Amino acid sequence: MLSLNRSGFLRCDEKQGRLVSQRRRMPLAPAGVRCAARGGGELNGRGIAVDNTVKELRGEAEPVLEPKSAGGVVEDAHGEDGDVEEQFIMPWTVSVASGYSLLRNPQHNKGLAFNEKERDAHYLRGLLPPACVTQELQEKKIMHNLRQYQVPLQRYVSMMDLQERNEKLFYKLLIDHVEELLPIVYTPTVGEACQKYGSIFRHPQGLYISLNERGKILEVLRNWPERNIQVIVVTDGERILGLGDLGCQCLPVTIDVGTNNEQLLKDEFYIGLRRRRATGQEYAELMHEFMTAVKQRYGEKVLIQFEDFANHNAFELLAKYRKTHLVFNDDIQTFHRCLAFLMVTNSFSFSYQFKVFQRLWKILKESAFIFVLQAGTGIAELIAREMSKQTKAPLEETRKKIWMVDSKGLIVSSRKESLQHFKKPWAHDHEPVGNLLDAVKAIKPTVLIGSSGVGRTFTKEVVEAMATFNEKPIILALSNPTTQSECSAEEAYTWSKGRAIFASGSPFDPVEYDGKIFVPGQANNAYIFPGFGLGLVISGATRVHDDMLLAASEALAQQVTQENLDKGLIYPPFSNIRKISAHIAANVAAKAYELGLASRLPRPKDLVKYAESCMYNPVYRSYR
C-alpha cells in the first residue's frame, strides 16, 4: 500500500455524524474502505478542541450534544464520508469545536469553502477572508499551482502539505487527476521522497515503534487516536522499492530497528535510531511483540500488510504469521499484477500487435518462464498453481516450467545445498549457467520477469535473444523506481524491433517505433491492493488465502476490454481505478465467502455495489 508518504492506515470512522480524527496516509484509499466503527468514545487526537470554554465565558454553556444518525447508508460500511452530500453532520466529538481548531483539523477543514452559515455557527468569522468558494474551484487552483513546479519532488512536498491541512481536497485531487498525480505520490517520485525524507520531514505522519519501545508496544498503539483500525501497513525499512535500506525514513507504521545505511547514520537530518540493524532474537522478539499487540488492540480481523521487508525476514514473517493473523506481503506475493498481465495477453484475439495470442492459457501450457530474483518466488508459485489448475497438470510439473536466476546464475539442482529454503523448489536439473544471457539462450523462455531491484539487468543482448525465439516476447520489468527497472519501455520495444509485450513496475511514456505508438503497461500494486484490502474488510475475512489473490488477478484481467487492447493497453486505464477496485473487492469477497473465511453475515446480494458503497467520498459535507 504505497502512498504519499508510504504510510497507510485505512481509517474507519465513528458512528455517522461524528467527526473523528486519524491520519490517513493512503492516496489510493478512495478506492478503499470507509467502515463504520463501534464503541469509540476516545477523544480525537488531531487537536479538535473540546470547547465549551468560550460559551462558559459568555454565559452560554450548553449541554454536550450527540450527533444525529444519518440514514440511508450501509450499516457498518462507512461513516460520515459515505453519506450523501446534503446530509448535515456536526463537527465535534464531545462538544462544539472552536473555529480556530476546526480550521487546523485536516479531516474537516474546508478552508474558503465554509459557507456563511457555517462561519457563523462555528466561530469562523474573522478567521477566513470573506470569499466563499467551491471545492471545485479550490481543486482548479491547486492543480494550477502544482503544474508550475518543474521538479517532481516539489509537487510531492506540495501534495504532502495539502494533505496536512485539507484531506478531503487532497483525495478529491487524486481521484479526479489520478493518472497525472500517481507518479508524484507513488513511484517514481515517492522513491526520491523516501531517500530525502529526513530533509523534507515536517510533521510525524504515522506510528514509529523502535527498539526503545520494547515491552510497551501495546501502550504505543494506544497513543494512536483511533481504536477501530481495519488495515495496517508496516515496514522495517530495509528494502524500500529498489533503493535498499532507508531505515526510519518510510511510513506508515515503521518498526525502527536501526539501519545499516552508512550515509543515513552520518546524516544530521536522519530521524531514526542511529545504530546498526538488530537481527536474530532481538529482531524477532520485537516483531512478535508488535504482532501480538496489534491483535490485542485491534482484534482478530485487522489486516496487516508487510511492506518492503528484506527477503531474509519477509519470507519468515509471512510463514510465521499467516496462520495466526490476517496478513500478506505485497512484495513476495506480487504475482497478482504479473498474473493478471499474463491472463490478459493470453485471453483475447488482439487486433493490434498481439494477434499471435488466441486463447487463455494456451501460451502458459507451452511456455517457460525465467524470473530474475530478488522477490519473485511468490509470483512463481502462484503462476505454477494457476497453470496446474488450468492445465490439470501436477504442480510439480508446472513448477518445472519456471526457472530462477539470482546473482550466481541459474538456480539448478547442483546448487541445492547452498540455496535459501524458498529457492529450493525451483532448483531444476540442468548444468550450471553463470549469467542471465546464457540462461535465456539455454532455456529459451517465452516470459522474462524481473524483480531483482537492480537496474538495467535486461540488457540489449538479453532482449535480442528473447526476440530470436519468440514472435512476441513477454518482458516484465517490475522493479521500482524507474532507475531500478530492469529495462525501459523504449529499450524493450527498440531492441525487440517493436515485437515485445512490455510492462513495468514504474510508469514509462508511450514509445513510437517504426511508425507505431506502443503504450507500456504499468504492472504495480496500485491496481490490486486497494480493491484487495477492501474485499477482505467488507467480507470480514479472517485469513488471507492464496485463492483470494488469484481472484484479484482474475478480476483485474476481466476489466481489460478489446478496445483497451486495440490501443496497446495491457491494463485498464488508471482513470477507472475506483470501478476496477470495486470489481476486485467483490471478487475477493466472493472467494472469502466461498472458502468459509468470511465473518460478515449475511453476505450482501450485490458485492460490487456494496464495495462501491463502502468507498471513501472526498466531497465536502455541510456542517451545522
Side-chain angles (χ1 to χ4, degrees):
M1 187 190 300
L2 300 177
S3 70
L4 186 65
N5 333 81
R6 297 183 59 75
S7 66
F9 275 102
L10 229 161
R11 168 181 126 166
C12 289
D13 290 340
E14 293 277 353
K15 298 282 280 185
Q16 287 100 349
R18 189 181 293 254
L19 295 187
V20 296
S21 178
Q22 177 204 334
R23 302 307 301 135
R24 185 190 304 104
R25 285 291 170 269
M26 186 183 175
L28 299 182
V33 186
R34 298 287 290 176
C35 297
R38 295 195 179 276
E42 299 184 19
L43 286 183
N44 120 24
R46 250 337 263 186
I48 291 188
V50 177
D51 190 17
N52 267 335
T53 306
V54 174
K55 291 195 172 186
E56 289 172 357
L57 291 173
R58 298 174 179 170
E60 300 173 356
E62 294 180 357
V64 172
L65 299 176
E66 289 298 321
K68 181 180 178 180
S69 298
V73 296
V74 180
E75 178 66 14
D76 284 334
H78 47 75
E80 49 96 358
D81 291 305
D83 298 345
V84 295
E85 184 176 0
E86 291 74 20
Q87 174 65 44
F88 286 95
I89 59 172
M90 297 181 179
W92 53 78
T93 299
V94 178
S95 183
V96 178
S98 73
Y100 190 83
S101 297
L102 181 59
L103 288 177
R104 281 151 184 79
N105 183 280
Q107 289 181 1
H108 311 302
N109 175 34
K110 299 194 294 185
L112 292 179
F114 282 110
N115 62 35
E116 297 289 347
K117 290 183 178 180
E118 291 169 333
R119 295 182 188 204
D120 285 332
H122 300 295
Y123 310 108
L124 296 174
R125 286 293 177 187
L127 301 181
L128 290 168
C132 294
V133 303
T134 64
Q135 188 178 28
E136 288 69 29
L137 185 60
Q138 289 178 317
E139 184 178 0
K140 181 179 179 180
K141 175 184 174 181
I142 295 290
M143 288 305 301
H144 172 77
N145 292 340
L146 285 173
R147 288 165 181 157
Q148 305 308 305
Y149 293 118
Q150 300 300 312
V151 179
L153 188 61
Q154 293 176 323
R155 297 178 186 175
Y156 172 92
V157 172
S158 180
M159 288 291 291
M160 185 164 60
D161 287 343
L162 175 62
Q163 190 180 29
E164 283 298 321
R165 65 180 186 271
N166 189 330
E167 283 192 356
K168 288 190 186 301
L169 184 57
F170 171 84
Y171 288 110
K172 184 75 161 57
L173 239 65
L174 282 175
I175 289 174
D176 293 345
H177 305 275
V178 62
E179 291 181 307
E180 182 176 352
L181 295 179
L182 187 65
I184 302 301
V185 301
Y186 192 38
T187 182
T189 307
V190 73
E192 182 182 4
C194 287
Q195 290 176 307
K196 300 177 179 177
Y197 196 74
S199 297
I200 64 175
F201 175 83
R202 285 170 167 77
H203 308 281
Q205 296 167 314
L207 196 62
Y208 297 87
I209 299 173
S210 74
L211 290 166
N212 295 340
E213 281 71 58
R214 281 176 293 190
K216 47 189 177 182
I217 292 180
L218 184 58
E219 296 177 31
V220 173
L221 294 180
R222 286 179 176 142
N223 290 341
W224 190 256
E226 289 303 314
R227 174 65 181 85
N228 297 281
I229 299 297
Q230 296 282 359
V231 181
I232 294 174
V233 182
V234 61
T235 185
D236 70 357
E238 189 170 5
R239 191 189 68 80
I240 300 301
L241 298 170
L243 302 172
D245 187 346
L246 297 185
C248 190
Q249 303 207 141
C250 315
L251 297 173
V253 179
T254 298
I255 306 293
D256 187 357
V257 295
T259 178
N260 294 334
N261 187 322
E262 294 294 342
Q263 184 177 353
L264 290 179
L265 291 172
K266 296 175 183 177
D267 184 353
E268 63 178 323
F269 300 125
Y270 181 57
I271 61 175
L273 289 179
R274 294 180 184 272
R275 56 156 286 173
R276 308 289 292 182
R277 277 191 171 273
T279 59
Q281 184 175 353
E282 184 180 23
Y283 178 90
E285 288 178 353
L286 187 72
M287 285 303 303
H288 188 69
E289 184 185 351
F290 170 75
M291 296 298 289
T292 302
V294 163
K295 184 184 282 191
Q296 184 175 347
R297 176 64 174 162
Y298 302 122
E300 180 77 19
K301 292 181 287 186
V302 61
L303 173 61
I304 303 171
Q305 176 188 338
F306 294 126
E307 175 73 28
D308 289 342
F309 286 77
N311 282 350
H312 59 89
N313 288 320
F315 285 95
E316 291 185 9
L317 288 171
L318 184 62
K320 181 175 182 179
Y321 293 108
R322 69 184 305 174
K323 294 182 180 179
T324 60
H325 292 68
L326 185 66
V327 300
F328 84 105
N329 184 310
D330 81 313
D331 299 304
I332 61 177
Q333 294 177 291
T334 49
F335 75 93
H336 40 64
R337 51 182 170 160
C338 172
L339 186 55
F341 178 95
L342 296 172
M343 288 178 176
V344 170
T345 58
N346 292 288
S347 58
F348 290 89
S349 173
F350 296 178
S351 59
Y352 191 31
Q353 66 260 49
F354 310 113
K355 292 182 180 178
V356 67
F357 302 111
Q358 299 297 323
R359 296 292 297 169
L360 176 63
W361 300 113
K362 181 178 185 293
I363 192 173
L364 295 185
K365 187 175 182 180
E366 301 171 355
S367 295
F369 296 74
I370 283 186
F371 282 82
V372 182
L373 279 178
Q374 185 181 69
T377 59
I379 308 173
E381 178 65 18
L382 270 295
I383 288 177
R385 290 191 181 194
E386 188 65 10
M387 289 168 62
S388 175
K389 173 184 174 182
Q390 298 294 334
T391 64
K392 309 304 180 184
L395 181 60
E396 293 75 15
E397 292 300 316
T398 57
R399 281 178 179 161
K400 292 178 182 178
K401 293 278 189 179
I402 300 173
W403 297 81
M404 303 284 182
V405 173
D406 62 11
S407 59
K408 296 180 180 179
L410 194 66
I411 294 178
V412 295
S413 299
S414 60
R415 293 179 52 195
K416 211 163 193 176
E417 293 303 316
S418 62
L419 292 174
Q420 294 166 287
H421 67 89
F422 55 86
K423 295 181 181 178
K424 290 183 178 181
W426 313 101
H428 308 317
D429 293 333
H430 198 282
E431 64 273 13
V433 178
N435 58 67
L436 175 59
L437 177 58
D438 289 342
V440 167
K441 291 178 178 178
I443 303 301
K444 293 182 172 55
T446 306
V447 184
L448 181 62
I449 301 174
S451 62
S452 63
V454 179
R456 300 303 180 259
T457 307
F458 297 170
T459 63
K460 180 180 180 181
E461 292 76 17
V462 168
V463 174
E464 288 178 341
M466 287 287 295
T468 60
F469 44 79
N470 290 296
E471 184 178 353
K472 295 290 181 182
I474 299 175
I475 298 175
L476 307 183
L478 301 183
S479 294
N480 290 317
T482 308
T483 55
Q484 306 306 114
S485 184
E486 284 77 10
C487 71
S488 69
E490 183 176 9
E491 289 167 341
Y493 294 127
T494 301
W495 293 340
S496 68
K497 294 181 170 54
R499 289 158 45 204
I501 299 176
F502 176 82
S504 59
S506 292
F508 285 101
D509 293 331
V511 175
E512 183 177 356
Y513 179 82
D514 196 23
K516 295 180 179 179
I517 301 296
F518 296 86
V519 183
Q522 189 177 353
N524 63 45
N525 296 335
Y527 272 107
I528 290 285
F529 177 72
F532 181 73
L534 176 58
L536 294 174
V537 170
I538 66 174
S539 64
T542 55
R543 294 292 180 269
V544 174
H545 192 281
D546 287 343
D547 285 354
M548 297 176 187
L549 295 162
L550 290 173
S553 302
E554 292 166 356
L556 176 57
Q558 291 164 4
Q559 298 302 299
V560 183
T561 66
Q562 185 67 51
E563 181 183 358
N564 298 150
L565 295 167
D566 290 345
K567 294 178 181 178
L569 295 172
I570 298 302
Y571 293 98
F574 215 91
S575 57
N576 296 333
I577 187 60
R578 285 168 74 85
K579 175 186 174 184
I580 295 165
S581 296
H583 283 273
I584 291 173
N587 236 32
V588 171
K591 183 58 66 173
Y593 283 106
E594 178 186 326
L595 295 171
L597 295 175
S599 64
R600 191 178 296 278
L601 299 173
R603 169 178 168 162
K605 293 181 179 179
D606 190 326
L607 285 171
V608 174
K609 287 186 177 179
Y610 183 64
E612 290 173 340
S613 74
C614 295
M615 287 183 176
Y616 176 65
N617 182 355
V619 175
Y620 288 150
R621 300 296 180 246
S622 297
Y623 299 160
R624 288 185 179 180

